[in-house]
Amino acid sequence: LPAMNATPRDRVASVKEMTTLLGALKAADALPYALAVYATARRAEIRHARVEDVDLHLGVIYLGADDRGRKSRAAQRAVPLVKPLASMLRRDLMRRGRPNGTALLCPGHKRGAKSSGMLSFEALQSRADDVWEPKDKDGKPTGVKVGERITAHECRHTCASWLDAAGVRPVVVSALMGHSVPARQAGAAPITQERYTHALPGELQQAKTQFERWLIDAEKASGTPVSRRS
């Protein structure tokens, strides 16, 4: 859990902004950001996620399944797939020819060597920045700016803000974010509103319903249908 006195991350994108930013990227580059902004995924969780961690039939993604990408025991969790993310995952898996379940969900561009085929977020961010605000070697704009840059970590915090705006109970948001609360951290309980009372049965599905309803309302307000993004 972030420290009580941590500096807040101010970059929280709107649904319209994220739709525009994701829509400008190639599918393979858009997916990692989508996993963060629609499913609270951390960078390490995205890097280590496997195709088999996605269950499109049940409508969930299992994050933190690989202990190399898990920050804590609480990070091992099932997160409901809202429609925009489910659509992106389905299309991307079809584009890749329905890869084996053990394949990386978001593989890197380089295979083998030190990268072991894993995604480099530094390289991903560089590619995204080049699309969102094209510049020449001297840093001067060379094309139309798509929008303000955002990082995968800021996408995760954006998701937390969206869930809160959707009216999802803080204890459920905490569970979806994969937060663990150190007993020694003063004031931790109020942050998560007693996370260890646990979410009631059915609350994750309710959270999905609330989140999807909020996204739809945001679509209507902006005139940009995120669930139908190409």
Side-chain angles (χ1 to χ4, degrees), residues 6 20 36 42 44-45 61 71 74 112 145 152 173-174 180 189 193 203:
T20 301
R42 296 180 173 94
E45 293 166 351
I61 180 170
K71 188 173 182 179
K145 182 176 179 179
V173 175
S174 179
S180 60
Q193 292 198 352
E203 282 202 302

Side-chain angles (χ1 to χ4, degrees), residues 166-187:
V168 178
R169 285 209 308 142
V171 67
V172 180
V173 175
S174 179
L176 292 174
M177 295 290 287
H179 283 160
S180 60
V181 183
R184 65 181 181 277
Q185 182 171 334

Side-chain angles (χ1 to χ4, degrees), residues 64-182:
D66 190 317
D67 57 8
R68 292 171 296 177
R70 190 164 61 237
K71 188 173 182 179
S72 66
R73 291 182 64 183
Q76 190 171 6
R77 63 203 187 278
V79 178
L81 293 175
V82 290
K83 291 179 181 178
L85 179 56
S87 296
M88 289 184 70
L89 283 165
R90 187 175 291 107
R91 287 196 301 270
D92 195 62
L93 292 176
M94 290 180 66
R95 178 187 63 83
R96 293 171 58 190
R98 300 181 183 278
N100 185 283
T102 59
L104 289 168
L105 184 61
C106 297
H109 280 204
K110 296 181 179 179
R111 301 292 187 266
K114 293 182 179 180
S115 67
S116 300
M118 300 191 75
L119 178 67
S120 164
F121 271 93
E122 291 72 19
L124 171 64
Q125 190 68 54
S126 179
R127 292 193 299 273
D129 289 344
D130 287 343
V131 172
W132 293 335
E133 188 173 7
K135 296 179 180 179
D136 61 21
K137 61 181 181 180
D138 297 320
K140 296 180 180 179
T142 59
V144 177
K145 182 176 179 179
V146 174
E148 295 297 328
R149 81 189 299 264
I150 194 167
T151 67
H153 195 76
E154 289 169 333
C155 283
R156 173 174 151 83
H157 280 256
T158 291
C159 188
S161 296
W162 287 0
L163 288 165
D164 178 70
V168 178
R169 285 209 308 142
V171 67
V172 180
V173 175
S174 179
L176 292 174
M177 295 290 287
H179 283 160
S180 60
V181 183

Side-chain angles (χ1 to χ4, degrees), residues 2-8 185-186 191:
M4 289 287 288
N5 60 351
T7 301
Q185 182 171 334
I191 295 177

Side-chain angles (χ1 to χ4, degrees), residues 169 171-172 192-201 203:
R169 285 209 308 142
V171 67
V172 180
T192 58
Q193 292 198 352
E194 304 292 349
R195 179 181 184 278
Y196 293 105
T197 59
H198 304 294
L200 297 173
E203 282 202 302

